[in-house]
């Protein structure tokens, strides 16, 4: 089966030689229990020499099917033959020649649509590109000792013909029985050439020029193993949908979200509805509005219901977790709302409150014509999705408020005071033109030749701390559960309790740093469905057992029904840090605006980052001088010191010890910013300026060249730049701050490792002084102006 297609540039040859070598090695080991099988295979191969040669005719395999079955025992686990979804294909081909029954039934390659990681719905050409790139990576690894990740799995999406539900299967590729051979001299590639190739992974022409495909041939076969990942993929796709603009703005888009939820919950007849609430009491349901589609609300609003306060919708208002009604036809509550749903044929109902910053802003409705279609356990899968629905709902509410304010601001809203004059100017011009011409259009808001300043205070290793908090909570909850079972076993020896103890210990051993959300769900499912239901019976075993059960139950969060101590401490600590930094920046920003008007915006995640733009086009009278830019740069450094001192004072109050790192990006060349109507915010304008945004997204992970050390370190300020004159300017500022007592004497200088889209960067790094100077630290205009004069004098 030698083959070379136009799309896949390399020649591939089906061969069983590596599998035959495996059995010969087994046969040579007299102590191996499989040696008798191996010797039998070797003896039978003597009568089937075609199997030992490259196989170009599929009939060869059919003629020796019994022997092939025996040889493939090394590849396919016999005990799992019926259940495992596996296939064997020639290298890089999607033409299986040996498959399990489950693979045949699934028809993955015939019915499925392949998808690249993080990219849904690409066609065959992209798949061919991915196969070619995997082959090139293999060559680099084999012949050039370049360590590359070539094990990214493929994901295939298909539709279940019986239920119509979307299904996704991850296909892992095992190349143990395949090899790449070279024909001719190996091309010489320098490290620089290899790096250039890796920087353009999809430029197949460049790769083919550097590594001509005619020089390489792939022999053997590869093993494909498919695993269903519908739940994870559906949740990931749902997140991606909800993060898009106008994710819930139309029935068609709600239909898309509905398909994702059906796949996630494995329910083909679920119906989704969304309600936006103006008030957080049930009386306000009459003023609520549909978002895309609602199961309760119609064109005229909510149906008549004199007892709405007794409805399940009213109960959902008071909750923080989803409310699940197994069967509407058998529940004791039946107000006008429930009757309206029953008339539509619904039996199961799930209502999830959508809260944003602790305020109820909407309801998510899920219903099915079948009773008990959604359980409380299944509702747990919606936790992340509900939070994203709430975020999407809040975004939609904000957009609606924007439209309400359009009478005053026309198409603009959330305007920073420093640039409001420009929006008013454009709006007035638009209104004047509109009076003469109904086709008048709003002109774009663009500010040219502005200088950017970017600063970031990040929480050090926040992802690690979050993971460790999850791990600690799960371990503690498992330990408390184990205490209950052990105490019960002491009181009354039952072998089944030993088995439960063993399973608890196994789960505890699996919880390690970096545990996934799936691991967390598995542990909680086990505790809530296999362990906690035993407590009612175990409580009858004596007072000591009852006390252990009470200790376990008291440790759980009353609303979440799980242990939430470390995670709560982490969340509260992050929130306190963010709020402290944000409040401090707000105060200092007022001082900076007094020095010179500029545009300022900040964002809170695990830390706070902010953008500043300053320039002549941003001020109404164009009265800009480079002195004001220097002024802001020095102010930014002084403010960063102030943030660090605020965090040091805050640290004793944190429930979890977290450190902050500080980063400033220097850009001496001016750029343009444009007001984006869709996002209601400014963004850099033009392809050339995009590099600045790319660098901003990368530098918090920057590494010092040759050392592996992260640039950002607690208690230090890192200043990233690319031009020597930028370093010279900032050294002057730093020398002044040393003299003033803000930073220590040492100024470190580094070159940074190259990152994707960010090359040739350098950095200065300084340590913030242990304490603020003797005078209380306040970045006041007069102090910065005096400091700037001293710097200029030097």
């Amino acid at each position: 089966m030698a083959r070379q297609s136009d799309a896949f540039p390399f020649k591939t040859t089906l061969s069983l030689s590596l599998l035959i070598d495996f059995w010969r090695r087994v046969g040579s080991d007299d102590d191996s229990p499989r040696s008798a099988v191996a010797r039998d295979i070797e003896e039978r191969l003597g009568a089937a020499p075609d199997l030992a040669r490259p196989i170009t005719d599929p009939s060869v395999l059919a003629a020796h099917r019994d022997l092939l079955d025996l040889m493939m025992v090394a590849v396919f686990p016999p005990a799992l033959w019926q259940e495992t979804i596996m296939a064997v294909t020639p290298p890089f081909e999607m033409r299986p020649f040996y498959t399990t029954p489950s693979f045949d039934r699934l028809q993955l390659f015939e019915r499925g649509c392949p998808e690249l990681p993080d990219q849904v719905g690409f066609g065959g050409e992209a798949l061919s590109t991915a196969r070619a790139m995997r082959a090139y990576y293999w060559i680099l690894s084999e012949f050039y000792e370049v360590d590359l990740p070539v094990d990214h799995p493929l994901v295939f999406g298909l539709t279940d013909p019986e239920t119509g539900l979307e299904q996704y299967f991850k296909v892992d590729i095992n190349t143990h029985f395949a090899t790449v051979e070279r024909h001719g001299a190996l091309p010489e590639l320098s490290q620089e050439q290899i790096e250039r190739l890796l920087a353009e992974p999809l430029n197949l022409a460049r790769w083919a020029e550097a590594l001509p495909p005619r020089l390489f041939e792939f022999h053997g076969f590869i093993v494909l193993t498919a695993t269903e990942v519908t739940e994870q993929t559906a949740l990931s796709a749902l997140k991606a949908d909800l993060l898009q603009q106008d994710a819930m703005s139309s029935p068609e888009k709600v239909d898309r979200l509905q398909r994702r939820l059906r796949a996630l919950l494995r329910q083909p007849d679920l119906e989704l509805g969304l309600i936006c609430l103006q008030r957080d009491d049930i009386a306000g349901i009459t003023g609520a509005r549909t978002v895309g589609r609602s199961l309760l609300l119609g064109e005229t609003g909510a149906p008549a219901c004199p007892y709405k306060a007794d409805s399940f919708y009213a109960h959902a208002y008071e909750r923080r977790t989803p409310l699940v009604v197994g069967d509407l036809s058998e529940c004791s509550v039946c107000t006008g709302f429930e009757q309206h749903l029953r008339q539509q044929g619904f039996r199961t109902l799930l209502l999830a409150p959508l809260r944003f910053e602790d305020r109820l802003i909407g309801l998510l409705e899920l219903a099915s014509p079948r009773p008990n279609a959604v359980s409380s356990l299944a509702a747990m899968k919606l936790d992340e999705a509900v939070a994203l629905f709430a975020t999407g709902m809040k975004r939609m509410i904000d957009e609606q408020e924007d439209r309400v304010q359009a009478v005053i601001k026309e198409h603009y809203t959330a305007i920073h005071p420093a640039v409001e004059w420009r929006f008013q100017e454009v709006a007035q011009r638009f209104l004047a033109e509109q009076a003469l011409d109904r086709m008048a259009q709003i002109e774009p808001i663009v500010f040219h030749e502005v200088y950017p300043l970017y600063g970031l205070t990040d929480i050090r290793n926040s992802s690690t701390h979050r993971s460790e908090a999850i791990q600690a909570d799960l371990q503690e909850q498992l330990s408390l559960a184990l205490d209950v079972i052990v105490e019960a076993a002491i009181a009354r020896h039952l072998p089944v309790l030993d088995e439960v103890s063993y399973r608890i210990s196994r789960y505890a051993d699996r919880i390690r740093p970096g545990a996934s959300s799936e691991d967390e769900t598995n542990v909680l499912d086990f505790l809530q469905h296999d362990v906690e239901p035993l407590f009612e019976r175990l409580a009858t075993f004596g007072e000591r057992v009852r006390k252990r059960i009470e200790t376990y139950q008291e440790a759980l969060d009353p609303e979440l029904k799980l242990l939430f101590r470390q995670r709560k401490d982490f969340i509260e600590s992050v929130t306190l840090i963010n709020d402290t930094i944000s409040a401090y920046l707000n105060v200092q920003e007022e001082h900076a605006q007094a020095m010179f008007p500029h545009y300022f915006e900040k964002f809170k995640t695990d830390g706070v980052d902010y953008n500043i733009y300053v320039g002549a086009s941003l001020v109404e009278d164009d009265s800009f001088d480079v002195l004001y830019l220097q002024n802001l740069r020095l102010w930014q450094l002084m403010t960063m010191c102030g943030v660090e001192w605020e965090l040091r004072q805050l640290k004793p109050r944190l429930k979890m010890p977290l450190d902050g790192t500080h980063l400033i990006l220097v850009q001496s060349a001016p750029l343009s910013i444009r007001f984006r109507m869709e996002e209601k915010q400014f963004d850099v304008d033009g392809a050339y300026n995009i590099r600045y945004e790319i660098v901003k997204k990368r530098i918090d992970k920057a590494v010092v060249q040759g050392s592996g050390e992260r640039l950002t370190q607690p208690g230090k300020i890192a200043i990233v730049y690319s031009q020597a004159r930028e370093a010279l300017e900032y050294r002057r500022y730093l020398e002044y701050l040393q003299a003033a007592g803000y930073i220590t004497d040492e100024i470190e200088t580094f070159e940074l490792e190259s990152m994707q889209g960010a090359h040739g960067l350098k950095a200065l790094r300084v340590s913030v002084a242990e304490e603020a100077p003797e005078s209380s630290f306040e970045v006041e205009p007069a102090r910065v102006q005096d400091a700037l004069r001293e710097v200029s004098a030097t």
Side-chain angles (χ1 to χ4, degrees):
M1 289 186 183
R3 180 175 177 180
Q4 181 176 10
S5 67
D6 294 336
F8 186 71
F10 295 94
K11 183 179 179 181
T12 62
T13 301
L14 173 60
S15 169
L16 302 180
S17 59
L18 292 179
L19 180 60
I20 293 172
D21 290 345
F22 165 79
W23 283 116
R24 285 173 176 163
R25 289 195 302 273
V26 173
S28 65
D29 184 1
D30 293 335
D31 296 330
S32 170
R34 293 176 295 179
S35 59
V37 176
R39 286 191 290 272
D40 180 41
I41 290 173
E42 189 168 2
E43 181 178 340
R44 294 171 64 176
L45 281 170
D50 289 345
L51 290 180
R53 292 190 286 265
I55 299 172
T56 58
D57 184 356
S59 64
V60 172
L61 298 173
H64 303 285
R65 177 70 189 199
D66 291 343
L67 178 55
L68 184 64
D69 287 340
L70 188 59
M71 294 171 63
M72 284 296 176
V73 170
V75 180
F76 292 77
L80 303 177
W81 172 254
Q82 291 294 331
E83 295 82 10
T84 305
I85 307 172
M86 293 181 66
V88 172
T89 77
F92 296 104
E93 298 292 342
M94 294 298 181
R95 298 178 294 110
F97 66 87
Y98 196 86
T99 58
T100 63
S102 295
F103 192 94
D104 291 336
R105 286 193 298 270
L106 192 62
Q107 294 182 314
L108 192 62
F109 294 158
E110 293 82 357
R111 297 194 297 116
C113 175
E115 301 174 359
L116 283 172
D118 302 324
Q119 180 182 349
V120 177
F122 70 90
E125 183 179 347
L127 178 58
S128 298
T129 301
R131 290 162 52 215
M133 289 314 307
R134 184 184 289 270
Y136 280 119
Y137 283 3
W138 191 347
I139 292 169
L140 283 183
S141 177
E142 181 73 20
F143 297 110
Y144 295 91
E145 299 182 354
V146 178
D147 187 17
L148 291 168
V150 295
D151 58 347
H152 296 304
L154 289 173
V155 174
F156 283 78
L158 50 84
T159 301
D160 188 313
E162 296 181 4
T163 65
L165 291 174
E166 296 174 350
Q167 290 182 293
Y168 296 92
F169 292 85
K170 180 184 71 172
V171 178
D172 291 301
I173 301 174
N174 187 307
T175 59
H176 181 77
F177 293 100
T179 185
V180 56
E181 296 182 0
R182 172 170 54 87
H183 302 297
L186 188 68
E188 293 186 6
L189 293 180
S190 66
Q191 184 63 32
E192 183 180 356
Q193 287 175 302
I194 293 174
E195 289 177 359
R196 280 204 301 268
L197 287 174
L198 296 177
E200 297 184 82
L202 301 182
N203 189 344
L204 294 185
R206 180 182 290 275
W207 283 85
E209 181 181 356
L211 298 168
R214 58 183 171 75
L215 298 180
F216 304 95
E217 182 177 348
F218 293 89
H219 282 253
F221 62 85
I222 61 175
V223 183
L224 307 178
T225 304
T227 307
E228 185 168 4
V229 290
T230 298
E231 186 174 314
Q232 303 94 306
T233 306
L235 182 58
S236 177
L238 182 63
K239 291 178 182 178
D241 291 341
L242 288 170
L243 289 173
Q244 292 179 4
Q245 197 76 14
D246 298 326
M248 302 178 287
S249 61
S250 67
E252 293 75 19
K253 292 187 177 180
V254 173
D255 284 341
R256 182 182 179 88
L257 299 175
Q258 179 176 276
R259 288 198 302 273
R260 304 298 192 195
L261 289 172
R262 285 178 173 180
L264 176 64
L265 299 178
R266 308 286 180 102
Q267 296 297 329
D269 50 15
L270 277 182
E271 295 289 332
L272 168 65
L274 292 164
I275 299 176
C276 177
L277 302 173
Q278 307 299 324
R279 293 166 49 184
D280 58 1
D281 59 83
I282 191 62
I285 194 75
T286 55
R289 58 188 174 88
T290 297
V291 178
R293 179 175 63 243
S294 170
L295 309 181
L296 178 70
L297 305 183
E299 293 182 2
T300 57
C305 182
Y307 303 105
K308 61 174 68 75
D310 297 325
S311 70
F312 287 117
Y313 280 82
H315 295 325
Y317 272 61
E318 302 166 0
R319 297 171 61 94
R320 294 184 175 275
T321 55
L323 181 152
V324 179
V325 183
D327 194 344
L328 285 168
S329 65
E330 296 182 359
C331 61
S332 57
V333 175
C334 188
T335 70
F337 290 170
E338 286 71 35
Q339 185 63 27
H340 178 73
L341 295 175
R342 287 169 58 175
Q343 289 173 354
Q344 298 177 66
F346 294 128
R347 297 281 295 276
T348 298
L349 175 66
L350 180 146
L351 296 173
L354 303 180
R355 296 181 179 275
F356 189 86
E357 295 182 351
D358 207 33
R359 184 171 70 88
L360 184 67
I361 61 173
L363 289 175
L364 180 147
E365 307 165 291
L366 283 178
S368 169
R370 293 182 299 104
N372 302 306
V374 180
S375 65
S376 298
L377 173 62
M380 293 178 62
K381 299 178 183 178
L382 296 175
D383 285 349
E384 291 184 69
V386 167
L388 288 169
F389 270 104
T391 302
M393 182 75 74
K394 179 61 169 62
R395 184 171 62 237
M396 190 212 66
I397 291 172
D398 290 342
E399 291 167 358
Q400 178 64 17
E401 291 176 354
D402 292 348
R403 287 189 285 271
V404 171
Q405 293 298 320
V407 176
I408 302 172
K409 300 288 186 181
E410 278 298 333
H411 296 275
Y412 308 110
T413 188
I415 304 167
H416 192 278
V419 295
E420 187 172 3
W421 65 271
R422 174 63 175 150
F423 288 83
Q424 292 174 344
E425 179 181 272
V426 171
Q428 289 170 0
R429 187 177 299 122
F430 171 77
L431 291 174
E433 292 176 358
Q434 193 177 50
L436 301 174
D437 180 6
R438 293 184 179 181
M439 299 299 292
Q441 294 183 351
I442 297 256
E443 66 182 84
I445 302 292
V446 182
F447 295 101
H448 298 289
E449 295 291 308
V450 297
Y451 295 89
L453 292 87
Y454 175 75
L456 166 66
T457 293
D458 196 23
I459 296 177
R460 183 72 165 185
N461 297 328
S462 59
S463 298
T464 302
H465 287 297
R466 182 182 287 105
S467 176
E468 290 173 350
I470 294 172
Q471 177 195 8
D473 282 343
L474 293 177
Q475 290 283 13
E476 184 177 356
Q477 188 169 348
L478 286 167
S479 177
L480 292 172
L482 184 61
D483 290 345
V484 174
I485 302 302
V486 169
E487 195 65 48
I490 294 172
R492 188 176 303 177
H493 180 67
L494 297 175
V496 70
L497 295 179
D498 294 337
E499 188 270 344
V500 175
S501 297
Y502 167 75
R503 286 199 286 159
I504 293 175
S505 300
R506 285 292 304 275
Y507 274 103
D509 291 340
R510 295 174 192 166
I511 300 300
R512 295 181 175 87
S516 66
S517 58
E518 183 179 359
D519 295 332
E520 180 184 1
T521 300
N522 290 339
V523 171
L524 295 176
D525 285 352
F526 165 68
L527 289 171
Q528 293 171 0
H529 297 280
D530 290 5
V531 179
E532 293 175 4
L534 303 174
F535 288 175
E536 183 176 357
R537 172 57 59 186
L538 298 182
T540 65
F541 286 15
E543 183 63 23
R544 293 174 64 88
V545 179
R546 280 196 298 274
K547 287 185 177 179
R548 292 288 189 183
I549 293 173
E550 290 172 1
T551 301
Y552 176 93
Q553 292 173 338
E554 289 170 359
L556 303 187
D557 184 281
E559 293 181 0
L560 301 176
K561 302 302 181 185
L562 54 86
L563 200 142
F564 200 71
R565 291 174 179 167
Q566 295 287 336
R567 279 171 284 187
K568 184 178 180 182
D569 289 348
F570 172 79
I571 292 170
E572 290 180 357
S573 298
V574 169
T575 301
L576 184 55
I577 288 174
N578 284 349
D579 290 347
T580 300
I581 297 172
S582 182
Y584 181 81
L585 288 176
N586 286 342
V587 173
Q588 304 309 329
E589 165 61 9
E590 290 181 10
H591 297 320
Q593 287 289 349
M595 303 176 200
F596 188 80
H598 56 274
Y599 183 85
F600 176 89
E601 60 181 359
K602 67 177 187 299
F603 309 92
K604 291 194 289 187
T605 51
D606 284 356
V608 177
D609 62 315
Y610 58 88
N611 293 308
I612 296 174
Y613 300 108
V614 61
S617 62
L618 285 166
V619 290
E620 196 166 4
D621 59 1
D622 291 338
S623 60
F624 175 76
D625 188 276
V626 71
L627 175 70
Y628 299 122
L629 172 62
Q630 297 171 346
N631 195 60
L632 277 173
R633 287 175 173 170
L634 180 56
W635 167 87
Q636 185 182 30
L637 284 168
M638 298 169 74
T639 302
M640 279 294 194
C641 294
V643 169
E644 172 61 22
W645 288 320
E646 288 287 323
L647 294 183
R648 291 176 185 176
Q649 294 177 9
L650 181 67
K651 198 165 187 177
R653 295 168 50 198
L654 298 177
K655 293 183 179 180
M656 184 171 288
L658 300 174
D659 292 313
T661 62
H662 314 287
L663 180 68
I664 290 173
L665 174 62
V666 182
Q667 163 92 358
S668 58
L671 45 76
S672 299
I673 59 173
R674 177 184 294 267
F675 187 82
R676 304 291 181 187
M677 295 295 296
E678 296 80 6
E679 294 83 10
K680 301 298 181 192
Q681 66 183 29
F682 280 99
D683 198 357
V684 298
D685 190 46
Y688 174 80
N689 298 324
I690 291 299
R691 180 182 181 275
Y692 176 73
E693 287 296 315
I694 293 174
V695 173
K696 277 168 48 179
K697 290 179 171 60
R698 302 274 193 270
I699 53 172
D700 63 319
K701 301 293 190 299
V703 174
V704 175
Q705 191 175 77
S707 71
E709 177 191 3
R710 283 280 293 273
L711 172 64
T712 55
Q713 296 292 332
K716 298 187 177 185
I717 300 173
I719 304 162
V720 177
Y721 65 94
S722 56
Q723 304 294 328
R725 56 193 174 90
E726 294 168 343
L728 183 63
E729 178 182 351
Y730 271 79
R731 279 188 174 277
R732 295 202 311 269
Y733 301 147
L734 295 176
E735 288 170 6
Y736 164 74
L737 293 178
Q738 286 174 335
Y742 288 87
I743 60 176
T744 61
D745 291 338
E746 183 182 7
I747 300 177
E748 299 173 277
T749 304
F750 304 109
E751 291 188 4
L752 304 182
E753 297 279 3
S754 293
M755 296 171 286
Q756 185 177 1
H759 307 284
L761 296 177
K762 302 178 178 63
L764 303 173
R765 191 171 68 187
V766 294
S767 297
V768 179
E770 286 297 321
E771 296 180 356
E774 292 183 2
S775 57
S776 61
F777 179 83
E778 288 185 14
V779 184
E780 296 178 350
R783 293 191 63 192
V784 179
Q785 299 288 2
D786 292 341
L788 194 60
R789 278 193 289 272
E790 287 195 42
V791 171
S792 299
T794 7

